[in-house]
Amino acid sequence: MENEWIGEITGFISLLLFVVANVYYPARLIANQFRPWPRNIALFFKKYLDLHMWMNVVAFILMTIHAHYTDDRNLFLYGSLLVTVWLTLAGLLMRSKKFSNDTKKQMRLIHTQQMVFVVWILLLMIGHLME
């Protein structure tokens, strides 16, 4: 019973963190309509990008714990975990200073593809609905 509780609470917290972290993209798209930004808005998005990255890393760790402690296992949920691994690693690598700007640009294209995010959401929804 305790393991089930751990699985549920880590799943819920990871969901909240993923939502808060990834609101960054629609907020930035909306804000881009009003460029040039005042200095305080530019600083906000610079700080939010750091928060976006670290909240997603923590959410990924919690999602992994959730996957371990719950009985919710199927091909769609395993697929969503793999997509999460890809998005998390690509995001972390984009922030690394060891890669050239061209390499980072290519990783950014892969990381920010909206289709990957949509696939991730669909895998999670279908996987949990099948349980």
Side-chain angles (χ1 to χ4, degrees), residues 30-81:
I30 292 167
N32 280 342
Q33 304 301 312
F34 304 100
R35 282 191 164 221
W37 295 334
R39 188 177 185 321
N40 61 337
I41 299 295
L43 286 173
F44 168 79
F45 278 110
K46 184 175 172 30
K47 288 179 184 178
Y48 198 167
L49 181 59
D50 288 334
L51 284 172
H52 159 80
M53 185 186 71
W54 290 113
M55 281 192 284
N56 274 316
V57 168
V58 172
F60 169 69
I61 292 166
L62 291 172
M63 181 184 185
T64 305
I65 294 168
H66 167 73
H68 176 75
Y69 281 107
T70 61
D71 291 331
D72 301 341
R73 289 182 175 86
N74 60 51
L75 188 60
F76 294 101
L77 293 174
Y78 284 126
S80 72
L81 190 58

Side-chain angles (χ1 to χ4, degrees), residues 84-101:
T84 307
V85 168
W86 169 254
L87 290 170
T88 303
L89 289 178
L92 288 171
L93 289 174
M94 279 178 22
R95 299 293 298 232
S96 173
K97 301 204 186 308
K98 295 182 182 191
F99 296 100
S100 70
N101 283 339

Side-chain angles (χ1 to χ4, degrees), residues 1-2 7 11 14 17 20 25 30 41-42 48 52 61 63 68 90 95 98 107 112 117 119 121 126:
M1 187 70 166
E2 184 177 319
S14 71
L17 285 172
V20 173
Y25 288 111
I30 292 167
I41 299 295
Y48 198 167
H52 159 80
I61 292 166
M63 181 184 185
H68 176 75
R95 299 293 298 232
K98 295 182 182 191
M107 282 191 291
T112 59
F117 186 74
V119 166
I121 295 290
I126 293 168

